[in-house]
């Protein structure tokens, strides 16, 4: 395997970049020109001169505490620190002479005198800036020594020379599962504190004490890192110049020797990482500073939670069984593929071409997803292909398609740096999209304002140095009413951007819309009783959004997963158009995608009605493109969506399913219905890393590969196509694209892809918005945002700049329709669901990492009033019941949820939160209504009968018979 | 699919298009059903209408004639 040669400048430039008019100066006789506001240190780095430094690094603002970076500037007295001195025109700087060398040695001598000299056995050996600087300044001896009698203190010995305990010594903190804090090695440069503030925005670290007593602290209220506010993003570890904050994996495995740039496989932010390795042993994942989505930052999942790749429960051998009540039998690949192919073909012969289908994964690469839908369309001969995006963002596709003409976020993540007012609706970025949240918080701290529309008081409403201007705590299910009320205020108070509407939108549609929305029934006063949002707050929020400058809307599954999900997306698009917030940096409509490749899975034609690039199968010109290439005829009728497949299975007309990388039993609503559908099928093929819940109903298990083991691309929430690169050989033997190809060929196809790059070539050749994409371009640019074609050869960071994809933007009438899921005497509370930072989706991966220390089980958040009337105390087992089913979990009392609303996550299969969710769904797309379920909560003794029965069934279904010798 | 579920889904679609402008709502419901409902589902709907279409929104019944 060839390493990816990084064509990007990886040097630490010392201080952050600036944008400003160029300023010219001379450093050590070299002239250089840099943007105004840059530091002398950065200018020197630009000129290729490394000024020694300890406390400065280019991801945080300079602090000027170590004084190692001193320089001389002609005409100025003294020796200023180059990291805190801005450049000036005509400046003449010297970075090296005897005086500076002497000063620097003195500084280093002081640092080293209070530092243990155990470099040879230190985990940072070879990766320590203190070592490097000692070398760079030519430090040759240290003259300070502790007297035999004791007395002179250091920070690094447990006892002083007289044998007395050293009060300055603090033992190593190993409480965080992924990194250690060893105070004896700390040089108090404060880089970590600044990173936690500026980059992550958590403010978990402080410097306590002064002078010799000053120490880094995880906050007064906790005595260790794990108990503190720390969210384990790793930013502090990244900047620490010494071994003080150090990855445990480095301590265990040694310094890495090579690196490969790749993309995180968790959430839709799509952070770029350098996978650092020794041979094929992954030592650590380090966020890549040239990653355009994350700009060098990361969260706990991508940075640390990759251990599942080697988890003992991972299945590496294919398995089959006649019946789902049999134990699994390990077989060779040939046999498993042959078994699957024969069964599927037999089912098609007996029950018709349309009796089988596929589910593609938004966790797999674009290339893999493309092949799976191709399997359905070209080999099965039907359009029965769907993706788990059905259950999260399908309304985004419909809603934005109707209003703007294409299904995609309009901006890149950098855009948030230009936002003045952000609306966050139905999303919880600090947990779901942490790196985006950090970037948003950074902008909020410099003055942007925030409107949160969410039933729950999410962290962004109030956290360290960030406070929302307005929190509109609506009742679950009333999104459309709230958004319409916002639009009502904007239209009736004359806050509409008329010029934008006239130029960019269909004016007749606008007039009709304006008439509709001006009706008093949409006013905040009229809807207050329904939505629970105070009219005055809502009016103030509307005024702020319409007149506060660049307005951007970010939304998540709290918008889409409703009966009116598609209508809500249209209402969001309306709001952006009314206020002219489309087509420039800082504005736009931004769906925050759940899984890493939701955008890609949708782009690649996973939906049963659309070929790649969002083109309906009814269009014969589009079908012809593929028919010619694939040599088959394509069904012009839409296929079954996931819920329809399950219904058809129960009805007996759908018999076989190939399910790649999805756990529909755990993630889809109304678990009992899903289970009944799966149980009615005669061939269920699960292609995954682990025996997931769906596999309990499977006849064939094909072991999958992790993102570390294959090549491909992911497309993140900003339409950015990022490369995934093979870091190590697949433990299961094959990349997932190869496995799909084997199955296709066993069913008579003649595919012969030898590398995913060839699949991308086929995608580019058939899909106009991808026409310009190829691996060579991605190698050169790092990433591109589609559309990428002749008119945008380097991709498209901002969409709809001069006109909408569909021509004129279309304002849609968005009448509020209450969901039929209503509370009543039997089910008086509304359940809504979400996720938390350390776990991801159904948790299959994160539950198999040390991330479980932060979240061992799902809990039910309930308001103290609702708890009190039910006699529920903190930590009690409670039963939660809906008309679909019941489950039990522990209660957590909190006023983050309003009275009448309860909340839980769905990361653990034992909880089975989806036993309770119902089969109601979005009117246009069948996206399930996860976010609103009427429930009752009562005390219980422990797990429900269903949970116990299911646990029993799951244990039986997971039995594996070892292969015969 | 259970008839109740089908009726619920079809009525939801009708509710949306009824709120839209114009006098082609039934056509738009029919177009939506053609674009997104698999033929088996449309068949089930037509059969259900033929048997009386109980509980179905009038718009759905009108639309089903155009399928
Ligand atoms: S922990 Fe590391 S980054 Fe933080 S002050 Fe100490 S040496 Fe500097
Ligand atoms: S890991 Fe992140 S949150 Fe925790 S202290 Fe370091 S920078 Fe702060
Ligand atoms: S989970 Fe999301 S935010 Fe975290 S590292 Fe991965 S892509 Fe970035
Ligand atoms: S690097 Fe400039 S003072 Fe530390």
């Amino acid at each position: 395997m060839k390493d990816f040669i990084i064509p990007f400048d990886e040097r630490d430039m010392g201080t952050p970049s600036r944008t400003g008019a160029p300023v010219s100066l001379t450093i050590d006789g070299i002239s250089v020109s840099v943007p105004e506001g840059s530091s002398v240190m950065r200018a020197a780095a630009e000129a290729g001169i490394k000024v020694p430094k300890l406390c400065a690094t280019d991801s945080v603002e300079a602090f000027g505490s170590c004084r190692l970076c001193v320089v001389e500037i002609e005409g100025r007295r003294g020796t200023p620190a180059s990291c805190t001195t801005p450049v000036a025109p005509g400046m003449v700087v010297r970075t090296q002479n005897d005086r500076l060398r002497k000063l620097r040695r003195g500084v280093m001598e002081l640092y080293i005198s209070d530092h243990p000299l155990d470099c040879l056995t230190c985990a940072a050996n070879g990766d320590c800036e203190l070592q490097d600087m000692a070398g760079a300044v030519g430090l040759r001896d240290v003259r300070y020594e502790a007297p035999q009698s004791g007395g002179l203190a250091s920070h690094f010995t447990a006892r002083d020379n007289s044998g007395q305990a050293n009060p300055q010594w603090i033992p190593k903190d190993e409480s965080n599962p992924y990194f250690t804090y060893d105070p004896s090695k700390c040089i108090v440069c404060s880089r970590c504190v600044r990173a936690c503030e500026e980059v992550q925005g958590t403010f978990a670290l402080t410097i306590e004490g002064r002078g010799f007593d000053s120490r880094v602290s995880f906050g007064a209220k906790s005595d260790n890192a794990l108990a503190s506010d720390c969210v384990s993003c790793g930013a502090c570890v990244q900047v620490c110049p010494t071994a003080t904050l150090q990855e445990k994996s480095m301590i265990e495995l040694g310094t890495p020797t090579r690196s490969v740039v790749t993309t995180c496989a968790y959430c839709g932010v799509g952070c770029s990482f350098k996978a650092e390795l020794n041979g094929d042993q992954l030592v650590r994942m380090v966020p890549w500073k040239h990653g355009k989505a994350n700009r060098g930052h990361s969260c706990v999942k991508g940075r640390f939670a990759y251990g599942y790749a080697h988890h003992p429960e991972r299945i590496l051998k294919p398995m089959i069984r006649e019946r789902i009540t049999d134990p699994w039998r390990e077989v060779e690949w040939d046999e498993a593929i042959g078994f699957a192919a024969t069964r599927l073909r037999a089912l098609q012969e007996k029950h018709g071409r349309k009796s089988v289908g596929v589910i593609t994964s938004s966790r797999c690469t674009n290339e893999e997803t493309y092949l799976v839908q191709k399997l359905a369309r070209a080999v099965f001969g039907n359009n029965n292909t769907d993706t788990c995006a059905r259950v999260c963002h399908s309304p985004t596709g419909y809603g934005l398609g109707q209003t703007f003409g294409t299904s995609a976020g309009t901006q890149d993540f950098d855009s948030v740096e230009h936002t003045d007012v952000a609306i966050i609706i139905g999303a919880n970025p600090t947990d779901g999209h942490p790196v985006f949240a950090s970037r948003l918080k950074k902008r909020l701290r410099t003055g942007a304002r925030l409107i949160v529309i969410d039933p729950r008081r999410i962290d962004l409403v109030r956290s360290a140095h960030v406070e929302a201007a307005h929190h509109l705590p609506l009742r679950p299910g009333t999104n459309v009413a709230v958004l319409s009320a916002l639009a009502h205020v904007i239209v009736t108070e004359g806050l509409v951007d008329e010029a934008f509407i006239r130029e960019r939108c269909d004016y007749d549609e606008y007039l009709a819309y304006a008439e509709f929305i001006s009706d008093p029934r949409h006013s905040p006063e009229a809807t207050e009783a329904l939505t629970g949002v105070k009219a005055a707050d809502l009016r103030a929020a509307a005024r702020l959004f319409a007149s506060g400058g660049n307005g951007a809307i970010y939304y998540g599954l709290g918008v889409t997963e409703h009966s009116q999900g598609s209508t809500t997306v249209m209402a969001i698009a309306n709001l952006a158009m009314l206020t002219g917030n489309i087509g420039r940096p800082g504005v736009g409509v931004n769906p925050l995608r759940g899984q890493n490749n939701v955008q890609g899975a949708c782009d690649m034609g996973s939906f049963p009605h659309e070929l790649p690039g969002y083109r309906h199968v009814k269009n014969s010109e589009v079908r012809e493109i593929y028919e010619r290439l694939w040599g088959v005829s394509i069904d012009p009728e839409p296929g079954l969506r996931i819920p329809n497949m399950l219904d058809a299975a129960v009805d007996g007309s759908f018999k076989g399913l190939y399910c790649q990388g999805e756990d529909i039993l755990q993630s889809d609503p109304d678990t009992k219905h899903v289970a009944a559908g799966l149980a009615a099928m005669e061939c269920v093929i699960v292609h995954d890393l682990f025996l997931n819940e769906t596999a309990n109903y499977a006849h064939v298990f094909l072991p999958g590969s992790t993102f570390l083991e294959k090549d491909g691309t992911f497309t993140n929430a900003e339409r950015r196509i990022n490369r995934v690169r093979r870091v190590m050989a697949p433990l299961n033997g094959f990349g997932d694209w190869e496995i799909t190809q084997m199955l296709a060929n066993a069913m008579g196809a003649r595919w012969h892809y030898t590398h995913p790059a060839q699949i991308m070539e086929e995608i580019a050749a058939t899909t106009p918005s991808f026409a310009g994409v190829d691996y060579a371009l991605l190698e050169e640019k790092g990433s591109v945002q589609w559309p990428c074609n002749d008119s945008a050869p380097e991709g498209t960071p901002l969409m709809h700049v001069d006109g909408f994809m569909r021509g004129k933007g279309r304002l849609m009438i968005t009448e509020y329709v209450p969901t039929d899921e209503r509370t009543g005497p039997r089910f008086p509370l509304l359940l809504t669901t979400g996720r938390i930072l350390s776990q991801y989706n159904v948790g299959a991966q994160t539950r198999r990492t040390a991330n479980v220390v932060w979240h061992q089980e799902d809990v039910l958040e309930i308001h103290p009033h609702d708890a009190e009337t039910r006699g529920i105390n903190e930590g009690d087992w409670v039963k939660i019941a809906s008309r679909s089913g019941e489950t039990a979990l522990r209660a957590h009392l909190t006023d983050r949820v309003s009275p009448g609303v309860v909340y839980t996550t769905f990361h653990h299969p034992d909880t089975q939160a989806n036993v309770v969710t119902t089969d109601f769904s979005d009117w246009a797309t069948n996206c399930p209504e996860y976010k609103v379920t009427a429930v009752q909560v009562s005390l219980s003794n422990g797990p429900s009968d269903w949970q116990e029965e299911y646990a029993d069934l799951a244990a039986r279904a997971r039995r594996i018979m070892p292969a015969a010798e | 699919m259970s008839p109740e579920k089908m009726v619920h889904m079809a009525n939801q679609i009708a509710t949306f298009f009824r709120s839209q402008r114009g006098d082609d709502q039934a056509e738009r419901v029919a177009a939506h059903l053609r674009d997104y409902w698999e033929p088996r589902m449309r068949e089930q709907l037509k059969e259900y209408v033929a048997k009386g279409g109980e509980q179905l929104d009038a718009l759905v019944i009108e639309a089903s004639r155009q399928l």
Side-chain angles (χ1 to χ4, degrees):
Chain A
M1 181 172 56
K2 194 170 120 291
D3 273 12
F4 170 53
I5 317 287
I6 299 165
F8 296 86
D9 190 349
E10 294 285 287
R11 289 176 304 155
D12 180 353
M13 309 300 280
T15 61
S17 66
R18 293 284 185 262
T19 47
V23 172
S24 299
L25 66 161
T26 315
I27 305 176
D28 294 343
I30 303 173
S31 24
V32 59
S33 170
V34 292
E36 191 183 345
S38 302
S39 68
V40 169
M41 175 181 280
R42 189 166 178 109
E46 294 286 355
I49 299 164
K50 272 195 197 165
V51 183
K53 65 180 183 58
L54 277 173
C55 67
T57 186
D58 60 9
S59 58
V60 293
E61 293 299 328
F63 189 57
S65 67
C66 74
R67 299 222 17 101
L68 198 63
C69 68
V70 287
V71 293
E72 283 182 358
I73 298 174
E74 244 171 50
R76 293 201 194 177
R77 283 195 299 152
T79 51
S82 61
C83 64
T84 49
T85 307
V87 293
M91 216 178 215
V92 178
V93 181
R94 292 213 57 79
T95 74
Q96 289 290 352
N97 62 26
D98 283 344
R99 177 187 177 205
L100 294 170
R101 264 190 295 279
K102 211 166 145 229
L103 278 170
R104 288 187 190 134
R105 263 187 223 173
V107 169
M108 276 313 289
E109 197 175 351
L110 265 173
Y111 272 115
I112 298 299
S113 70
D114 192 13
H115 198 84
L117 295 179
D118 58 0
C119 287
L120 288 182
T121 52
C122 177
N125 191 8
D127 183 42
C128 170
E129 293 180 44
L130 193 65
Q131 269 179 354
D132 297 347
M133 288 305 120
V137 307
L139 183 71
R140 295 296 171 252
D141 60 335
V142 175
R143 287 161 300 174
Y144 305 101
E145 235 177 64
Q148 289 299 326
S149 56
L152 179 64
S154 80
H155 292 103
F156 63 85
T157 46
R159 300 186 173 279
D160 71 11
N161 285 350
S162 67
Q164 294 292 307
N166 175 4
Q168 296 287 352
W169 181 79
I170 306 174
K172 207 163 165 176
D173 178 345
E174 300 189 317
S175 61
N176 182 296
Y178 298 117
F179 63 84
T180 60
Y181 167 52
D182 182 356
S184 72
K185 299 208 162 166
C186 180
I187 58 169
V188 204
C189 64
S190 89
R191 282 190 190 185
C192 54
V193 176
R194 284 174 281 150
C196 192
E197 292 177 6
E198 294 173 30
V199 180
Q200 165 57 26
T202 292
F203 294 78
L205 296 172
T206 51
I207 301 277
E208 269 177 9
R210 293 172 160 272
F212 188 72
D213 288 332
S214 52
R215 308 306 286 261
V216 171
S217 157
F218 278 90
K221 70 177 179 196
S222 61
D223 44 11
N224 67 30
L226 189 64
S228 73
D229 289 341
C230 168
V231 294
S232 198
C233 69
C236 56
V237 181
Q238 176 84 348
V239 294
C240 182
T242 65
T244 313
L245 292 163
Q246 184 76 57
E247 296 92 349
K248 286 184 177 171
S249 60
M250 255 271 291
I251 298 177
E252 194 190 323
L253 299 168
T255 344
T257 50
R258 66 186 188 98
S259 70
V260 181
V261 172
T262 191
T263 304
C264 176
Y266 281 115
C267 86
V269 177
C271 296
S272 299
F273 280 89
K274 279 203 303 191
E276 297 193 338
L277 304 115
N278 266 327
D280 69 349
Q281 170 76 63
L282 181 58
V283 177
R284 61 176 175 183
M285 295 284 273
V286 178
W288 190 40
K289 77 174 183 184
H290 297 290
K292 292 184 185 127
N294 55 322
R295 304 277 176 201
H297 191 35
S298 65
C299 84
V300 59
K301 292 190 284 284
R303 195 177 198 296
F304 295 117
Y306 50 80
Y308 65 86
H310 289 280
H311 193 278
E313 278 167 24
R314 184 164 164 203
I315 305 285
L316 300 173
K317 290 213 127 218
M319 304 189 296
I320 57 174
R321 57 184 171 190
E322 271 308 311
R323 283 173 303 270
I324 60 171
T325 47
D326 295 343
W328 284 107
R329 195 156 60 82
E330 285 184 353
V331 295
E332 293 306 318
W333 278 98
D334 281 354
E335 188 178 349
I337 296 282
F339 180 89
T342 315
R343 275 212 170 186
L344 289 176
R345 277 296 186 225
L347 287 172
Q348 285 193 298
E349 258 156 49
K350 190 158 159 218
H351 301 279
R353 202 159 40 90
K354 298 192 178 185
S355 63
V356 299
V358 300
I359 298 181
T360 75
S361 174
S362 29
R363 268 182 253 173
C364 285
T365 63
N366 286 320
E367 292 76 3
E368 288 164 344
T369 309
Y370 178 86
L371 284 196
V372 175
Q373 62 87 32
K374 178 172 173 180
L375 176 71
R377 297 198 156 107
V379 183
F380 293 180
N382 63 39
N383 285 316
N384 292 334
T385 164
D386 207 356
T387 164
C388 62
R390 168 70 51 215
V391 302
C392 66
H393 266 291
S394 50
T396 292
Y398 187 83
L400 295 184
Q402 293 291 314
T403 48
F404 296 162
T406 190
S407 162
T410 61
Q411 311 296 112
D412 56 8
F413 284 131
D414 286 350
S415 159
V416 76
E417 290 165 17
H418 308 277
T419 296
D420 299 312
V421 185
I423 292 185
I424 303 279
I425 169 165
N428 184 6
T430 52
D431 289 67
H433 302 86
V435 165
F436 165 70
S438 291
R439 299 189 68 177
L440 171 68
K441 286 199 277 186
K442 188 168 188 170
R443 176 69 193 110
L444 293 173
R445 288 195 303 274
T446 56
R449 278 167 300 168
L450 176 67
I451 300 164
V452 173
I453 307 179
D454 201 285
R456 196 163 156 267
R457 197 177 68 236
I458 59 170
D459 281 347
L460 277 175
V461 173
R462 192 173 304 123
S463 61
H465 300 263
V466 165
E467 183 162 8
H470 301 281
H471 173 213
L472 311 182
L474 76 179
R475 268 175 77 74
T478 60
N479 286 331
V480 171
V482 169
L483 288 164
S484 292
L486 288 169
H488 172 91
V489 175
I490 290 168
V491 171
T492 54
E493 295 191 7
L495 301 171
V496 172
D497 184 341
E498 279 275 340
F500 181 90
I501 297 278
R502 276 185 187 278
E503 192 193 326
R504 301 287 306 274
C505 301
D506 183 320
Y507 202 68
D508 284 343
E509 299 269 5
Y510 165 69
L511 290 179
Y513 174 80
E515 192 194 323
F516 157 80
I517 205 74
S518 303
D519 190 285
R521 74 178 189 282
H522 299 299
S523 74
E525 290 72 20
T527 50
E528 177 171 333
L530 173 81
T531 62
V533 177
K534 294 209 175 60
D537 282 356
L538 194 143
R539 280 194 184 270
R543 289 173 195 144
L544 173 61
F545 186 69
S547 52
N550 286 340
I553 308 176
Y554 292 88
Y555 72 89
L557 306 184
V559 157
T560 52
E561 290 174 347
H562 285 284
S563 288
Q564 278 201 293
S566 293
T567 318
T568 314
V569 173
M570 294 176 202
I572 287 173
N574 287 346
L575 210 54
M577 288 187 279
L578 286 175
T579 51
N581 278 313
I582 289 287
R584 58 178 194 278
V587 300
V589 172
N590 306 276
L592 293 170
R593 309 285 184 161
Q595 306 198 54
N596 52 331
N597 203 32
V598 169
Q599 180 72 51
C602 299
D603 300 343
M604 290 300 110
S606 296
F607 288 135
H609 64 283
E610 275 169 351
L611 284 155
Y614 305 99
R615 292 166 296 168
H616 202 284
V617 289
K618 70 184 173 190
N619 298 321
S620 56
E621 334 78 75
V622 183
R623 282 203 313 280
E624 268 162 30
I625 298 173
Y626 293 92
E627 289 175 338
R628 227 174 298 129
L629 188 70
W630 297 345
V632 296
S633 70
I634 292 177
D635 186 353
E637 289 287 354
L640 295 166
R641 301 170 285 193
I642 295 173
N644 313 146
M645 289 180 193
L646 295 165
D647 287 331
V650 173
D651 294 347
S653 70
F654 188 83
K655 292 286 185 185
L657 179 66
Y658 169 47
C659 186
Q660 183 181 69
E662 286 306 329
D663 192 357
I664 55 169
L665 186 72
Q666 200 190 337
S667 63
D668 284 38
D670 197 0
T671 308
K672 288 180 181 174
H673 181 65
V674 180
L678 287 169
M681 294 183 205
E682 289 170 25
C683 181
V684 175
I685 305 164
V686 167
H687 177 171
D688 213 311
L689 300 174
F690 302 102
L691 277 176
N692 60 20
E693 306 308 310
T694 307
N696 295 339
Y697 293 87
H699 307 85
V700 181
F701 186 90
L702 303 175
S705 53
T706 68
F707 76 111
L708 296 167
E709 299 165 327
K710 58 198 180 189
D711 283 298
T713 55
F714 289 151
T715 308
N716 75 355
E718 30 160 29
R719 295 169 277 109
R720 184 181 300 288
I721 306 164
N722 273 313
R723 274 284 269 122
V724 179
R725 290 188 179 83
R726 185 168 133 149
V727 169
M728 56 200 196
L731 295 176
N732 57 325
F734 298 100
D736 294 325
W737 60 276
E738 294 173 283
I739 297 166
T740 306
Q741 171 160 282
M742 289 192 283
L743 180 60
N745 288 344
M747 293 182 72
R750 273 197 221 97
W751 298 357
H752 31 254
Y753 304 103
T754 55
H755 191 275
Q758 297 158 349
I759 307 174
M760 184 51 86
E761 276 166 31
E762 183 172 321
I763 297 167
T766 52
T767 316
S769 49
F770 278 71
V773 181
D774 66 26
Y775 279 32
L777 181 74
L778 294 173
E779 218 68 4
E780 182 196 325
K781 301 274 172 222
S783 63
V784 289
Q785 288 169 275
W786 67 259
C788 174
N789 47 31
D790 282 348
S791 45
E794 296 191 358
T796 312
L798 297 179
M799 288 190 94
H800 318 301
V801 173
D802 301 312
F804 286 99
M805 288 290 270
R806 69 181 298 279
K808 293 280 188 192
R810 178 171 171 212
L811 284 124
M812 299 283 292
I813 305 271
T814 53
E815 189 73 71
Y816 167 68
V817 180
T819 167
D820 291 317
E821 184 66 20
R822 288 194 192 129
T823 54
R826 274 181 68 208
F827 303 116
L829 302 172
L830 283 179
L831 168 72
T832 184
T833 56
R835 60 163 96 176
I836 62 147
L837 170 70
S838 58
Q839 300 291 332
Y840 170 73
N841 198 272
V842 296
Q845 289 130 305
T846 42
R847 275 186 286 115
R848 291 181 174 94
T849 68
N851 277 24
V852 291
V853 302
W854 288 283
H855 185 75
Q856 278 140 350
E857 58 181 341
D858 296 319
V859 297
L860 184 77
E861 290 188 5
I862 182 167
H863 192 276
H865 290 317
D866 291 328
E868 199 189 340
T869 54
R870 290 168 175 76
I872 294 167
N873 293 309
E874 178 69 26
D876 282 350
W877 272 98
V878 293
K879 181 177 91 175
I880 172 159
S882 74
R883 64 186 168 85
S884 289
E886 60 183 56
T887 189
L889 66 176
R890 286 178 197 279
H892 171 53
L893 276 48
T894 171
D895 65 359
R896 295 186 87 147
V897 290
S898 309
V901 177
V902 292
Y903 168 88
T904 190
T905 50
F906 58 97
H907 301 300
H908 290 268
D910 303 338
T911 319
Q912 294 278 355
N914 280 323
V915 172
V916 202
T917 51
T918 71
D919 64 358
F920 283 159
S921 64
D922 173 47
W923 69 267
T925 66
N926 268 182
C927 178
E929 188 166 52
Y930 287 112
K931 298 293 179 182
V932 199
T933 311
V935 294
Q936 177 58 295
V937 175
S938 54
L939 275 171
S940 96
N941 305 324
S944 70
D945 292 347
W946 159 265
Q947 279 165 299
E948 284 180 349
E949 266 166 45
Y950 182 79
D952 190 42
L953 176 135
R956 268 185 286 124
R958 288 204 172 102
R959 284 169 303 154
I960 300 175
M961 230 162 48
E965 289 299 314
Chain B
M1 178 168 37
S2 76
E4 299 79 43
K5 186 166 167 184
M6 179 190 66
V7 169
H8 189 253
M9 278 164 49
N11 287 355
Q12 275 182 296
I13 295 168
T15 307
F16 177 80
F17 286 106
R18 173 168 299 107
S19 74
Q20 300 301 300
R21 269 196 324 149
D23 40 24
D24 57 348
Q25 278 105 342
E27 278 103 280
R28 292 173 71 183
V29 172
H32 188 92
L33 293 173
R34 265 196 302 274
D35 282 355
Y36 297 98
W37 281 31
E38 206 253 5
R40 260 171 277 186
M41 299 163 66
R42 278 155 27 206
E43 232 15 77
Q44 190 186 348
L45 178 67
K46 281 197 279 186
E47 280 166 24
Y48 186 81
V49 172
K51 281 194 229 133
E54 206 180 321
Q55 300 284 318
L56 273 179
D57 192 305
L59 256 187
V60 178
I61 296 185
E62 205 185 324
S64 77
R65 303 220 168 86
Q66 301 174 25
L67 288 177

